[in-house]
Amino acid sequence: MSQNQTTVSGFFHKNPSLKIKEFQAFLTTRLGVIFSLNMQSTILYYWVYHITNDKLSLGFVGLAEVIPAIGCSLFAGHFVDQNEKRKMVVTCLTGYIFTATCLALLALPMMHQWLSVAAIVCFIYFFVFIGGILRSFFSPSMFSLFGLVVPREHYANATSWSSMSWQMGAVLGPLVAGFGIAWLGIPAGLFVVLAIQLLLFFPLLKITVKPILKKEKEPILQSVSDGLRFVFKTPTLLAALSLDMFSVLFGGAVALLPVYQKEILHVNEMGFGILRAAPGIGALVTLGLLAFLPLKSNPGRKLFLCVTGFALSIIVFGISKNFYLSFFMLLLSGMFDAVSVVIRSTILQLVTPDSMRGRVSAVNTMFVSSSNELGDFESGVMANWLGTVRAVVVGGCLTLGVVAFTFFKAPQLRRFSFDEKKKEESN
């Protein structure tokens, strides 16, 4: 009994953020939202490709989300900084429930009798567009709420767990979606997404109302420009965000998985779900290790090494015709990406003033949206132009080029140290 108590106390001693009740509720909400959105996204990509058989249509799904996510992000950050954070998250969750309801109803068999395939696809794009608007507000709201439920000295540890909850959603969402499509069908899978999002009000409302740190009003354009100016005048942060944006923009291959599943690897829906979940599984394993072996030394150099490993994994995945090798390469890509996510997120939390969290996070959302959804669009266009395999391999090679360029052009990121940042704050 005493040995178990020692083990538990040792675990919480290394992970003090997990003792905070509101952070536990935060993690549950984050996990649930990411799980449901990844499950929904996986179903939508599968649905669109299998009713259109058009690679370019997959790219338009990503484009439909990235346009509002980028277009609204900067203004969203202004509103998040000037409003109560939990209320913003509740509003976004309500919006996600609305879009989930509409998509689930659209997938019902009777809709296929009333609407053409082209009309159904257009409605999917429309609701994905609405989801992009919601995302532009949700991400900075959660980022700002994180800073209000976790003490500053626990940011690095809490960021690992926050990233782990995100990755758990990224793993389990596609995996459950693959099984759901195979066993229940698309409509039932989308109704499961709706049910999960409704349940998320329970943990979210356990977080108390938080104070608004930025109370003075200022013109929206000035507020937006302040957030942009801060990012562009902070070399380490700008380099980390740029490296992440361009590496995932060129190296992302997830949008083309329906093509690999159907035309190259020839696996069923479950195989598709497993492939889609592979990067998240790798990331989850890595984040679990980081919870016990936290990053302390040379985070900048480790960031460059991991993005290089990510690019090489994507290149090998692109040329692979073996399901197991493809799965392993996607697994490795997720492991490398997880380390870079933790380093980038910790840098973001450490260098951002509390009063600017919404606006700086909005700029981060803009970079992330650019890399993920624009990457999906770029993958669809490149696959339509060069062919699927060439598009993925060329993207991986371009990512290696981005790593080399950033390594020599951003010495501040290369030399960045968490310990040095703490020393700067204490002086």
Side-chain angles (χ1 to χ4, degrees), residues 37 40 44 47 61 64-65 68 95-107 111 115 119-135 190:
L37 293 181
Q40 184 182 74
L44 292 182
W47 185 17
V61 175
E65 184 171 2
Y96 279 132
I97 289 170
F98 168 76
T99 58
T101 302
C102 293
L103 285 167
L105 294 174
L106 185 64
M111 290 296 182
L115 299 171
I120 290 173
V121 172
C122 286
F123 274 116
I124 292 173
Y125 291 156
F126 173 74
F127 291 120
V128 170
F129 185 91
I130 299 299
I133 296 175
L134 294 170
R135 175 178 170 175
L190 291 173

Side-chain angles (χ1 to χ4, degrees), residues 231 233-241 347 351 410-414 416:
V231 171
K233 285 189 174 181
T234 310
T236 302
L237 180 57
L238 179 62
L241 293 181
I347 291 172
V351 303
Q412 298 92 340
L413 179 59
R414 195 168 66 234
F416 183 81

Side-chain angles (χ1 to χ4, degrees), residues 33 75 87 93 179 224 247 274 279 294 352 396 408:
V33 170
F75 299 101
K87 178 182 177 182
L93 180 58
F179 284 103
V224 168
S247 62
I274 291 171
T352 305
F408 291 106

Side-chain angles (χ1 to χ4, degrees), residues 136-147:
S136 69
F137 285 88
F138 179 78
S139 295
S141 298
M142 288 294 282
F143 179 83
S144 300
L145 191 60
F146 175 99

Side-chain angles (χ1 to χ4, degrees), residues 6 19 73 75 78 89 113 124 135 137 161 181-182 186 280 287 292 297 299 306 345 394-395 398 400 406 425:
T6 303
K19 294 189 286 187
S73 284
F75 299 101
H78 168 79
V89 176
Q113 299 173 2
I124 292 173
R135 175 178 170 175
F137 285 88
W161 284 102
I181 292 169
I186 290 171
L287 290 167
F292 295 94
S297 62
C306 288
S345 300
V394 168
L398 288 173
L400 289 176
T406 310
E425 289 168 357

Side-chain angles (χ1 to χ4, degrees), residues 139-275:
S139 295
S141 298
M142 288 294 282
F143 179 83
S144 300
L145 191 60
F146 175 99
L148 296 173
V149 300
V150 178
R152 192 174 183 84
E153 63 269 19
H154 299 327
Y155 278 176
N157 175 252
T159 297
S160 293
W161 284 102
S162 180
S163 298
M164 187 183 297
S165 70
W166 192 98
Q167 290 295 347
M168 284 184 68
V171 171
L172 298 176
L175 202 58
V176 172
F179 284 103
I181 292 169
W183 291 346
L184 304 173
I186 290 171
L190 291 173
F191 274 108
V192 170
V193 171
L194 173 60
I196 292 168
Q197 292 179 351
L198 286 168
L199 291 173
L200 290 177
F201 279 114
F202 290 102
L204 180 55
L205 295 178
K206 290 182 179 179
I207 299 174
T208 60
V209 174
K210 300 301 177 185
I212 302 172
L213 299 177
K214 180 178 174 57
K215 295 182 179 180
E216 67 276 9
K217 301 292 182 181
E218 63 184 10
I220 186 170
L221 291 180
Q222 179 185 336
S223 176
V224 168
S225 64
D226 286 346
L228 279 171
R229 193 179 303 114
F230 177 82
V231 171
F232 282 94
K233 285 189 174 181
T234 310
T236 302
L237 180 57
L238 179 62
L241 293 181
S242 300
L243 181 62
D244 176 77
M245 180 181 77
F246 287 108
S247 62
V248 178
L249 173 64
F250 295 131
V254 170
L256 296 176
L257 284 181
V259 184
Y260 273 86
Q261 175 248 337
K262 188 175 182 180
E263 300 179 8
I264 297 175
L265 299 176
H266 306 291
V267 294
N268 59 18
E269 293 87 350
M270 292 185 189
F272 168 68
I274 291 171
L275 286 173

